[in-house]
Amino acid sequence: MNPVVHADNRSYTRARVASYHLAMGPEPADWAVDEELAELGRVLSKRIDPLATAMAERIIAEVGFYRDQPTVSPDELRDSCRAHLEYVLGSLGAPSIRDISPAEQNGRRRADADVPLPALMDAYRVGTRFIWEAFVAEAESSGSPDSATLVRASSQVWTLQTNFIEAMSAGYREAMTTRVLSQEHERSALVGALLEGRITETRTLWEAAEILRITRRGPYVVVAAEVPELGRQAIPDAENRLRADGISSAWRLLPDLQVGLVVLRTPQQLGQLVTLLTGRSAHRIGISPQYQALEDTGEALRFARIAMTAAAPGSAAVTQFDQAPLAVAAASTPEVMRHVTGSVLGALAGLPDVERALLLDTLAAWRDSGGSAAAAAERLFVHPNTVRHRLRRISAATGRSLTAPRDVAELCLALEAARQQPGPA
């Protein structure tokens, strides 16, 4: 948990509560003493324990969550009701509002107990009605207070309740924000541990899968996305976007990458993943081969990195490791491939950059057209004879024939490596 974030949240909560008091409630100096209301508060305070018990029983009877879920015990609920009554009855007719921090504390406790906020609001609604009924019952049984005092009590109680509930809600939101941040930090750390191969025991792997909300067995893939700048996500809100398509995932932001562990429950989901990634990033993305065991996540990240670097620098390509073996082979050993590029295409290095790029573009179009000069010419918007002339120049310069399979393989591999290197291709 980040203590700075937590402190900021707490300050923000108190500021909101204070501002709400100023907007909705009277200033303490303007809240004149009302002795009749104060006496009503004192009379009912003498019966505060049975009133708290009765209020808790009413909430359990009318709010399904408190009746059906064991997260808040009857004793805890009764204590909260007593604090609520102390606040309201002690503030009746008083010249100032009592300390409202118990409301904030209760909101945080209920958030920690996983009580839904609507259920909590329902409980306060029931409690408010119970307090009003207690006022009316006291007036009927003792003849005091009179109707005019009851009207004033109603007005003051609703103001007090509004302040109390606002403080409770602020405390609830603060606790939930803190919890979400803590959970996200934990999930990010677990993804990091899997990527680094630091989790190997089966039981620990299963616990990690449960916390990450992913299945215990694959198939999985790892996504490696090039970040636009340090500390900035390549695919904002990736987990929620994938979840909307029914795909589970967990992500971590590294200095140079945004990395995702993605669960593929059906064969179609890989295509969905590629489609989403293609439309969401302006930088290179690599996808590892599919794998079954979480302990293989570290190796999958290495493959995803290689697939990412198989695309040309500055491009927005999504490269699947298994779908681009030539590009992946060229990216897997960059120091070797620099030597291969120099050996195979070195004779073209002496040409002007524009001319060299033109020849390599022609070779790429011919390769991508299945070795057809006519189809390559259509891609390049030139005459087929122009393509053939350029290919003859490449063959003559490199000493490799475009009809010999081994020579073609060497040229294509060198071409991929040249495309991946920065600078003119």
Side-chain angles (χ1 to χ4, degrees), residues 182-196 199 203-216 220-222 239-240 243 247-252 259-263 265 291 294-295 297:
S182 176
Q183 289 175 341
E184 287 307 307
H185 292 161
E186 181 180 16
R187 295 183 78 237
S188 179
L190 277 174
V191 174
L194 287 171
L195 294 171
E196 296 165 12
I199 301 179
R203 180 177 177 181
T204 308
L205 286 165
W206 287 1
E207 291 171 349
E210 185 173 346
I211 293 172
L212 293 173
R213 299 191 293 273
I214 61 176
T215 57
R216 296 178 178 180
Y220 312 103
V221 293
V222 169
E239 184 171 348
N240 289 333
R243 187 183 299 118
I247 301 175
S248 300
S249 64
W251 294 77
R252 181 176 175 85
V259 182
L261 170 58
V262 182
V263 184
R265 291 189 175 90
Y291 62 102
L294 271 177
E295 56 264 36
T297 300

Side-chain angles (χ1 to χ4, degrees), residues 225-236 253-255 257-258 283:
E226 189 175 40
V227 299
E229 58 187 60
L230 184 67
R232 184 177 168 192
Q233 296 184 36
I235 315 162
L253 185 61
L254 304 177
L257 294 175
Q258 183 181 2
H283 299 269

